[in-house]
Amino acid sequence: MPIWILRDFSKCSSCKLCEIVCSLKHENMVWPEAARIRIYEIIPGLPVISLCVQCDDYPCVSSCPFQALSVGEHGEVLVDKEKCTMCGACVTACPGNIPRILPGKQGVIICNLCNGEPECVKVCSEMGYHALQLVSKPEGGVVKNYLVKPEEASTKLLVKMMGEAE
Amino acid sequence: MKGFWGRLLEVDLATGAAHVLEIPEKAYRMFLGGRGLATYLLAKKYGEKWRLLDPLSPENPLMLLTGPLTGYYPGVKLSVTGKSPQSNSVVGSVVSSEVAVELKASGFDGLVLKGGCEKPCYIYVENGRVHLRDASDIWGLGGLKLIKKFHSLLKEDVNGEPGTPFVYIGPAGENRVRTAAVMSKLAHAAGYGGYGAVMGVKKVKAIAVKGYGSLPSIYDPESLSSLFRSTLRNVRERMKRFRQWGTTEGTWYTGYYLSSMPVRNWQEEWHDVKNFSHVGFELETWVKNPWADWGCPVACMKLSLVKREGEVYVTDNPDYEMAAYLGSNLGVFNPKETVLLSSLADELGLCGIQTGNVMGFAIELYEKGVLTRDEVGYELKWGDVECLARLMRDIAYRRGIGEVLAEGTYRAARILSEQKGVDLTRYAVQVKGIAVGAHGVRSRRDYPQPISYALSAQGGDHTSVAGFPVDSTESETWYAILDSGVVCMFTVLDDKGLLEYLNIITGWGLNLNEFYSIGRRIITLQRLLLSLGGPDAEWGVKDDDNPPRFYEPLPTGPYRGSSIGRDEVEELKKKYYAEIGWDERGIPTEETLRALGLGEFAPLLNQVRE
């Protein structure tokens, strides 16, 4: 059954512990850029959570000329590091510009849901923030609506908080 | 080398050229990073010429440094140092900023700015590559306006990523106000030391950093992962009240219960205004709770917002220090007005503690008839938010009376004493050029040691207080370690835990004695530079003292009548000097310097003893 990481901007404290534990788990070191989840704190205190939404049509998977991407049992995107040439086709195909290519690192970086037990969700809940929660993947194409541009989302959150157009 | 890159990036602002400063592992072992490393590098570079170095000249380097614990220990702080325009020594000022992590991810342990720019500029560092860009579009701005505009500028100019972290100055820094802070993320300030003015002298408006690499490798990554998680859980458990209230809790607790909160320039330290408390702030101003910085399990910040006459003021809680200094110390006992003043200080880029202190000083002088309406141009009244906002702006722009007050409490008191022909230093609540933090010592309930500030190497800095036992978390050796590590004091549980962390990262295998020796070494070297002082202020044994006000008995509250005694302070002073290895004048002995591995600085003693 596909699972999904529910994200709540208003509960996110912007502590970025999700980024830290993600890189510790996948890279065995603190490497913020290699984290599969990202917190954009453009307006201080009003963070925007950004990670793969597992689109129903998976444009990244179908765009890969080398069949390096596939969909796993939890609905996650799996990257075959051997096949990936880091050509960037998936980055272009992604409506949210989510996959990342880092110099010195083999294979494009996309969230793989930690084999069904995402580390980011664990730490967020352990710390009592609950901005990330694990749910079954919502139907009806709603996941794509979460692909918001961080700059625009930040401005909206600010206007919402200040109660007027800035 | 584990936990470090062993190099700093040095930028010559006159030419824009960058080069790498190699730092040997021995220097890290002796000083860790941050405050300690900065003190060492500055002492080494300037030595006998320290007295001549004007903190407000472009020559004074501005150092943004990290430490071995940066990014690996929960929470984040960036160390901001140089020669302080307040104390004329090194003040290890820290600010919560992800710039610290980005520097490490760029392959550097820190950034050093030398010289100055001709025109306003900003700096963008990407993976160690330095871009020096025109900042005329953002010069003069502060607060949210600056943050929004700078993010767009970064995108247009250098294709910067959304949310690239940066530190900056507001108008106060641009105008070289000695109480100006180096700001971060709207409401964070490296306030003590006055480094906003140092950045302003260099005409550097902002410093943004982005690194795409990993943090430096560490000695024992397997142990680190589990230690990181257990530390998170322990801190989270211990700091639950902080999650809910932050330090704003002190607004009631420190004021009403402990009688240690500045009220009207420290004429009192007690209040019983129930609504002037964390609960009052929560009900009237908090729009988001909690708010945290990178890697923090505590989240002591809350986002506050008030509206007044069509203007929107946004800031953090405010934390206890701001509630005290931009609240009770100015006679303001109203959460909304305190948030307004706190937000204004942020926008102007002022240290709220130093500025709230000098404002309180000015209002008391007005109250006593020393300053007049003719001189000031308007009435100064406790609790009058309109005049307070006006005064704060005048300080940031050095207008009218603000020109003198912009020099900070110590220098303003000196200048006004001379002008008026009376001694006004008795109303100046500062130690060695640094306004005292919002924690009194008279009731002995909050900061119970009468020498907390008198003997601190950072004067009135409440985040670096002296005490006994010398090698303990009750003492400045500990705070020097925190500021050099570089860690946030609110995410650290105890010394043994922090030492274990340090050893796992560096592999040094230090014991607790060696650990505290690092702290002793740092404050001893800071002390040496403090004793050298110059060019506009020098400190002697007589300055190892409390502000005169602390010898006056508390006039109100449950600790009415309580104060500290001069004899008691003299006795503790002698004891402290002896235990830490300084002579009867408070000058480190040659023997002490050598024992701490600071023998190379022994020649400076001749100059100090003059």
Side-chain angles (χ1 to χ4, degrees):
Chain A
M1 222 229 335
I3 53 170
W4 201 71
I5 296 173
L6 191 66
R7 51 213 82 180
D8 183 337
F9 301 138
S10 67
K11 282 185 183 160
C12 176
S13 71
S14 78
C15 76
K16 303 161 194 90
L17 277 167
C18 50
E19 293 184 3
I20 298 169
V21 298
C22 179
S23 73
L24 274 173
K25 164 131 186 170
H26 296 286
E27 310 296 337
N28 208 21
M29 55 184 12
V30 177
W31 187 351
E33 277 296 318
R36 279 71 171 160
I37 182 168
R38 164 154 304 189
I39 305 302
Y40 290 97
E41 194 184 2
I42 299 169
I43 304 294
L46 300 177
V48 177
I49 305 166
S50 173
L51 78 157
C52 174
V53 301
Q54 303 152 237
C55 302
D56 298 335
D57 55 349
Y58 294 93
C60 55
V61 175
S62 49
S63 78
C64 180
F66 306 99
Q67 286 81 47
L69 304 185
S70 59
V71 181
E73 58 169 317
H74 306 290
E76 76 277 26
V77 175
L78 295 169
V79 181
D80 185 334
K81 283 187 194 170
E82 305 290 307
K83 288 185 187 166
C84 178
T85 66
M86 304 200 284
C87 68
C90 56
V91 183
T92 312
C94 173
N97 202 23
I98 300 284
R100 232 166 315 142
I101 293 168
L102 272 182
K105 183 160 169 43
Q106 176 55 40
V108 68
I109 297 168
I110 307 176
C111 169
N112 69 357
L113 294 174
C114 297
N115 200 25
E117 293 178 3
E119 206 64 14
C120 53
V121 175
K122 277 191 230 165
V123 80
C124 193
S125 126
E126 269 172 33
M127 292 302 106
Y129 294 124
H130 307 291
L132 303 174
Q133 295 178 71
L134 205 57
V135 295
S136 55
K137 188 179 164 186
E139 293 173 351
V142 70
V143 293
K144 258 192 189 170
N145 297 350
Y146 274 91
L147 289 174
V148 288
K149 279 211 167 102
E151 297 96 321
E152 287 168 17
S154 296
T155 307
K156 284 178 182 168
L157 289 170
L158 181 65
V159 170
K160 186 174 81 160
M161 185 187 73
M162 299 195 17
E164 60 199 62
E166 248 297 276
Chain B
M1 197 181 296
K2 296 294 181 183
F4 299 100
W5 294 111
R7 52 183 182 253
L8 307 179
L9 188 61
E10 188 177 59
V11 182
D12 181 348
L13 296 170
T15 62
H19 81 275
V20 176
L21 279 179
E22 303 281 348
I23 308 291
E25 177 156 18
K26 192 178 167 216
Y28 291 107
R29 266 184 180 254
M30 288 176 74
F31 298 97
L32 293 183
R35 165 173 164 181
L37 186 62
T39 308
Y40 171 65
L41 294 175
L42 286 165
K44 210 172 157 65
K45 178 163 180 187
Y46 291 97
E48 287 173 358
K49 293 187 184 128
W50 182 256
R51 271 185 185 162
L52 303 173
L53 177 64
D54 179 1
L56 292 185
S57 69
E59 164 78 18
N60 185 19
L62 182 70
M63 308 172 117
L64 306 183
L65 303 185
T66 66
L69 297 157
T70 300
Y72 281 104
Y73 193 87
V76 66
K77 289 279 178 187
L78 175 71
S79 158
V80 181
T81 53
K83 182 166 180 177
S84 161
Q86 292 170 354
S87 78
N88 294 355
S89 178
V90 178
V91 170
S93 210
V94 294
V95 60
S96 299
S97 170
E98 281 83 355
V99 162
V101 180
E102 299 291 347
L103 278 169
K104 281 272 187 188
S106 303
F108 291 92
D109 299 319
L111 182 68
V112 178
L113 303 183
K114 62 175 205 177
C117 303
E118 290 222 340
K119 289 182 302 186
C121 70
Y122 76 85
I123 296 166
Y124 174 64
V125 182
E126 186 179 298
N127 280 343
R129 205 170 150 236
V130 178
H131 305 255
L132 201 58
R133 296 286 172 133
D134 176 47
S136 41
D137 283 357
I138 49 170
W139 197 252
L141 295 182
L144 269 182
K145 280 193 195 84
L146 171 79
I147 287 170
K148 287 195 284 187
K149 192 143 186 185
F150 187 56
H151 276 304
S152 331
L153 193 62
L154 270 182
K155 178 140 198 172
E156 286 161 30
D157 269 10
V158 291
N159 196 25
E161 277 214 32
T164 296
F166 63 97
V167 291
Y168 58 96
I169 53 171
E174 296 171 10
N175 296 324
R176 307 169 184 210
V177 172
R178 282 190 206 253
T179 67
V182 172
M183 302 293 300
S184 150
K185 290 168 79 169
L186 187 66
H188 300 345
Y192 283 119
Y195 295 109
V198 174
M199 210 162 138
V201 165
K202 295 180 178 302
K203 293 205 170 69
V204 174
K205 180 67 182 175
I207 303 160
V209 183
K210 186 74 214 170
Y212 288 92
S214 75
L215 269 55
S217 64
I218 57 173
Y219 174 72
D220 183 356
E222 279 69 36
S223 306
L224 187 276
S225 267
S226 58
L227 185 60
F228 181 74
R229 290 301 270 272
S230 61
T231 306
L232 282 181
R233 281 191 293 271
N234 293 341
V235 175
R236 159 81 178 123
E237 192 52 39
R238 176 94 69 93
M239 304 295 273
K240 274 186 175 157
R241 292 197 319 202
F242 258 46
R243 170 72 60 86
Q244 186 58 35
W245 300 327
T247 63
T248 315
E249 183 186 1
T251 310
W252 177 254
Y253 191 84
T254 310
Y256 173 80
Y257 185 59
L258 302 181
S259 277
S260 297
M261 183 172 189
V263 176
R264 289 177 278 268
N265 198 34
W266 294 92
Q267 295 182 79
E268 300 165 64
E269 297 187 17
W270 175 79
H271 79 84
D272 62 351
V273 184
K274 278 209 171 69
N275 194 48
F276 197 59
S277 68
H278 45 297
V279 186
F281 280 97
E282 175 167 2
L283 293 174
E284 293 188 21
T285 70
W286 292 353
V287 292
K288 182 169 175 182
N289 182 4
W291 172 22
D293 293 303
W294 205 86
C296 179
V298 178
C300 64
M301 299 178 297
K302 296 88 200 52
L303 212 49
S304 268
L305 179 149
V306 297
K307 292 179 184 177
R308 192 181 169 107
E309 290 165 8
E311 291 286 320
V312 183
Y313 298 87
V314 184
T315 184
D316 62 351
N317 319 13
D319 67 327
Y320 165 69
E321 295 294 318
M322 294 304 97
Y325 261 117
L326 302 174
S328 56
N329 195 53
L330 305 178
V332 174
F333 292 93
N334 172 318
K336 281 191 173 140
E337 290 177 348
T338 305
V339 165
L340 185 152
L341 292 172
S342 188
S343 172
L344 186 60
D346 293 342
E347 193 182 319
L348 296 168
L350 284 164
C351 164
I353 296 174
Q354 307 286 305
T355 310
N357 181 289
V358 77
M359 285 168 72
F361 170 72
I363 303 170
E364 188 176 351
L365 294 191
Y366 194 97
E367 189 182 50
K368 296 200 155 50
V370 179
L371 282 177
T372 63
R373 192 187 165 116
D374 280 353
E375 262 172 301
V376 179
Y378 46 93
E379 209 180 337
L380 292 182
K381 268 197 306 203
W382 300 116
D384 178 344
V385 74
E386 305 296 333
C387 86
L388 295 170
R390 192 168 170 184
L391 183 63
M392 199 190 281
R393 285 201 175 90
D394 283 348
I395 292 173
Y397 291 98
R398 285 184 172 273
R399 290 185 300 231
I401 191 71
E403 179 69 48
V404 174
L405 303 180
E407 291 297 305
T409 309
Y410 166 75
R411 287 169 178 82
R414 237 174 40 173
I415 295 165
L416 290 171
S417 294
E418 200 164 301
Q419 276 177 14
K420 308 277 176 188
V422 279
D423 178 26
L424 302 172
T425 54
R426 56 181 288 211
Y427 307 119
V429 188
Q430 60 81 37
V431 176
K432 298 186 192 77
I434 309 248
V436 167
H439 300 269
V441 295
R442 282 183 277 183
S443 75
R444 294 159 200 265
R445 287 298 310 279
D446 186 20
Y447 279 26
Q449 306 208 22
I451 54 151
S452 293
Y453 303 108
L455 287 178
S456 164
Q458 307 199 157
D461 184 344
H462 77 287
T463 65
S464 186
V465 290
F468 296 105
V470 168
D471 291 337
S472 78
T473 55
E474 300 301 311
S475 149
E476 198 175 15
T477 48
W478 170 245
Y479 296 106
I481 290 170
L482 298 184
D483 290 350
S484 306
V486 177
V487 289
C488 173
M489 59 169 67
F490 294 150
T491 57
V492 174
L493 295 170
D494 63 358
D495 48 7
K496 289 186 189 72
L498 193 68
L499 174 59
E500 184 190 3
Y501 225 102
L502 183 68
N503 282 333
I504 279 177
I505 287 173
T506 61
W508 290 339
L510 300 178
N511 62 35
L512 208 55
N513 271 338
E514 293 164 320
F515 186 58
Y516 276 113
S517 291
I518 297 173
R520 281 178 176 241
R521 184 175 298 122
I522 294 166
I523 58 174
T524 296
L525 195 53
Q526 275 185 294
R527 176 79 186 185
L528 195 60
L529 294 180
L530 195 63
S531 309
L532 283 170
D536 77 330
E538 281 164 19
W539 318 105
V541 64
K542 67 171 178 20
D543 299 297
D544 283 351
D545 200 357
N546 285 292
R549 182 131 282 163
F550 284 6
Y551 296 109
E552 297 169 15
L554 288 173
T556 50
Y559 295 91
R560 192 164 161 248
S562 177
S563 77
I564 43 178
R566 290 188 186 272
D567 292 348
E568 178 185 21
V569 172
E570 281 308 311
E571 202 173 299
L572 289 170
K573 236 164 103 168
K574 280 187 196 130
K575 189 175 161 213
Y576 189 82
Y577 290 166
E579 282 195 24
I580 205 156
W582 301 350
D583 68 15
E584 69 285 354
R585 289 162 63 200
I587 300 166
T589 64
E590 189 165 339
E591 200 184 351
T592 302
L593 291 184
R594 296 204 187 283
L596 291 170
L598 298 172
E600 62 181 301
F601 300 108
L604 292 177
L605 289 172
N606 298 327
Q607 220 186 348
V608 173
R609 290 191 191 115
E610 273 169 20

